[in-house]
Amino acid sequence: MEEERSSSSTGRVMIVVREFDPKKDRVGVEEVERRCEVGPSGKLSLFTDLLGDPICRVRHSPAFLMLVAELGGAIVGMVRGCIKTVTCGKKLSRNVKTNSLNHPNAAAAATTTRPLPVYTKAAYILGLRVSPSHRRMGIGLKLVHEIEGWFRENGAEYSYMATENDNVASVKLFTDKCGYSKFRTPSVLVNPVFAHRVPVSNRVAIVELAPHDAELLYQRRFSTTEFFPRDIGSVLNNKLSLGTFLALPRGTYGPGSWPGSVEFLANPPDSWAVLSVWNCKDVFTLQVRGASRVKRTFVKTTRMLDKALPFLRLPSVPDVFRPFGLHFMYGLGGEGQRAEKMMRALCGHAHNLAKKRGCAVVATEVSSRDPLRLAIPHWKMLSCAEDLWCIKRLGEDYSDGSVGDWTKSAPDSSIFVDPREF
């Protein structure tokens, strides 16, 4: 492993960018993370505890790297990156049925079309941090350039990142200095886990799919969705994936009569929905800091009332002022006029699963144009209506098939958010 990737001088002190060494860098990285808590000084801030594993948010990807910036022997910044193959568009494949060529309307009867995914190798940047006392020194820019160099070495065609839409410093760094362009604006939807179970409609049946069955369903119905990972099987079989759940009208299929995804898709009910759940609680915990005593008391009161009077189903606020875990819902989709109803049932099921496993919130990220977005319960004050994804093409000599330059493509109605990068 190459220890030092590059260095440059700032005044009389040398900035060294190198690969993260878990044996000697963990404490320094955690200190930078602590100093970079999200939120203005004196106000609410969100602290992330990576549970002693700074690479936890990328280590489940096919290829990943973490770099640190060192100045005078102290770590002052870091960045993480991962690479995977994802869908960047779709093309139509023409299939000819030879046994119908003698039909009077042979041209119409013989030719069918079906969409096929167009894949690209995409890299994702996350966890860029620079210590507040060392900003405006070009450290963040240098870290981005270095991680992009690793992306290119490993054949990535595009690089993208996500940030809050109102994070002016981050947006300017990537769009003004690093050559990225604003690309997609998905919504991050967060819902608290109440002290009571959420009722699920008795008109909806929920079936848990085996990983191989879930993979078939996703490949056949969602493989042309933007950012769909080619290695979806690895995601679904990961120990952090808690299951894939399908909602359909009660009486259609049940756990004992489930025919398998192939037969299901050959003759689906009029409406259905699907989602998978990822266990972020075993990867990192979150904590809200800087809350006043009044806010803490209010939050505690809602929980006490909810527990004392569960039949009222009062919306309680979990204790987010202590470290808490979350579940992430991914792979959301559905079809039919009642797909929204099916999705609400699935979200209720996911809430109850999170309650059972001791999580405080359930989160997901979907396209702001997704027709199922309104069916996903969330609290506005916890959510982000417009997250911002920025993208950059890493080379002009790559071929994108029928897609052309992905950075210039129009947004689709859906997007697949990989739980390994949340």
Side-chain angles (χ1 to χ4, degrees):
M1 179 181 292
E2 181 185 4
E3 180 67 17
E4 182 179 319
R5 297 188 66 87
S6 70
S7 61
S8 62
S9 60
T10 301
R12 296 181 179 180
V13 185
M14 188 73 70
I15 300 173
V16 176
V17 175
R18 58 174 175 79
E19 294 183 17
F20 167 74
D21 184 340
K23 293 182 179 179
K24 67 177 184 178
D25 296 335
R26 185 176 63 83
V27 174
V29 164
E30 289 177 345
E31 175 60 20
V32 174
E33 290 278 6
R34 185 191 66 78
R35 299 189 66 194
C36 293
E37 292 178 15
V38 179
S41 178
K43 296 184 179 180
L44 290 177
S45 62
L46 186 65
F47 176 73
T48 304
D49 184 352
L50 300 178
L51 306 180
D53 182 11
I55 313 180
C56 63
R57 293 182 63 195
V58 292
R59 70 163 59 256
H60 296 282
S61 296
F64 61 88
L65 178 71
M66 179 173 178
L67 299 176
V68 296
E70 199 173 45
L71 187 61
I75 293 177
V76 295
M78 61 271 193
V79 69
R80 303 164 182 87
C82 55
I83 303 172
K84 61 184 178 180
T85 301
V86 302
T87 297
C88 63
K90 55 189 173 185
K91 61 183 177 180
L92 292 178
S93 172
R94 297 170 67 86
N95 299 325
V96 178
K97 300 179 181 178
T98 55
N99 60 354
S100 63
L101 291 179
N102 294 325
H103 191 277
N105 293 323
T111 304
T112 61
T113 60
R114 63 189 180 101
L116 294 176
V118 176
Y119 290 108
T120 190
K121 208 168 186 180
Y124 181 59
I125 295 176
L126 74 162
L128 175 63
R129 302 281 188 271
V130 176
S131 179
S133 59
H134 292 83
R135 291 173 183 171
R136 301 183 183 278
M137 297 172 62
I139 296 174
L141 181 61
K142 185 170 182 58
L143 283 166
V144 172
H145 285 166
E146 289 297 317
I147 199 75
E148 285 180 347
W150 180 73
F151 293 160
R152 290 187 176 94
E153 290 170 8
N154 287 273
E157 300 178 276
Y158 294 94
S159 173
Y160 71 103
M161 52 76 67
T163 187
E164 296 85 359
N165 209 14
D166 58 356
N167 189 335
V168 178
S170 179
V171 174
K172 281 189 173 183
L173 171 65
F174 281 93
T175 59
D176 293 354
K177 297 182 179 180
C178 298
Y180 286 71
S181 56
K182 296 180 180 180
F183 190 56
R184 301 291 184 257
T185 54
S187 300
V188 179
L189 306 178
V190 181
N191 207 43
V193 174
F194 307 130
H196 61 266
R197 287 176 56 84
V198 170
V200 177
S201 173
N202 58 12
R203 296 183 178 182
V204 177
I206 295 178
V207 178
E208 182 174 359
L209 304 184
H212 72 277
D213 228 10
E215 181 178 359
L216 278 172
L217 183 108
Y218 279 125
Q219 288 284 8
R220 293 183 177 230
R221 275 295 189 271
F222 303 106
S223 64
T224 56
T225 302
E226 260 193 335
F227 290 96
F228 182 83
R230 196 170 194 170
D231 66 333
I232 184 64
S234 297
V235 179
L236 297 169
N237 283 285
N238 192 289
K239 63 181 181 181
L240 296 174
S241 193
L242 299 179
T244 298
F245 305 95
L246 183 73
L248 45 149
R250 183 167 295 279
T252 310
Y253 296 111
S257 60
W258 175 247
S261 290
V262 175
E263 291 81 358
F264 168 78
L265 292 173
N267 185 30
D270 64 345
S271 300
W272 57 274
V274 65
L275 65 73
S276 299
V277 179
W278 186 266
N279 179 21
C280 294
K281 183 182 178 184
D282 288 352
V283 180
F284 59 86
T285 60
L286 301 171
Q287 182 180 358
V288 175
R289 295 180 176 177
S292 66
R293 182 175 296 179
V294 173
K295 289 181 179 178
R296 289 174 178 266
T297 301
F298 170 75
V299 166
K300 185 176 181 180
T301 301
T302 66
R303 292 196 303 276
M304 292 175 63
L305 288 173
D306 198 1
K307 289 181 179 179
L309 306 169
F311 57 90
L312 294 179
R313 301 197 178 279
L314 302 171
S316 58
V317 183
D319 189 358
V320 294
F321 307 121
R322 294 182 181 181
F324 66 88
L326 66 89
H327 282 176
F328 182 73
M329 301 185 299
Y330 69 99
L332 284 71
E335 295 181 359
Q337 293 184 347
R338 292 184 290 167
E340 285 191 14
K341 179 179 180 179
M342 303 297 158
M343 182 55 67
R344 288 192 190 95
L346 285 176
C347 290
H349 182 77
H351 171 280
N352 295 337
L353 178 63
K355 172 177 166 51
K356 180 180 179 180
R357 298 179 64 92
C359 288
V361 300
V362 178
T364 190
E365 188 165 12
V366 297
S367 168
S368 55
R369 301 155 54 95
D370 196 311
L372 293 176
R373 181 183 182 279
L374 296 178
I376 303 169
H378 62 281
W379 278 16
K380 187 175 180 180
M381 63 180 176
L382 298 177
S383 305
C384 174
E386 277 198 359
D387 198 18
L388 176 63
W389 290 15
C390 298
I391 197 169
K392 175 181 180 179
R393 194 173 188 182
L394 295 178
E396 295 301 325
D397 56 339
Y398 298 117
S399 172
D400 299 288
S402 60
V403 176
D405 186 349
W406 190 22
T407 66
K408 296 178 173 62
S409 65
D412 206 344
S413 61
S414 298
I415 196 169
F416 195 101
V417 180
D418 195 323
R420 297 173 294 188
E421 299 167 0
F422 183 75

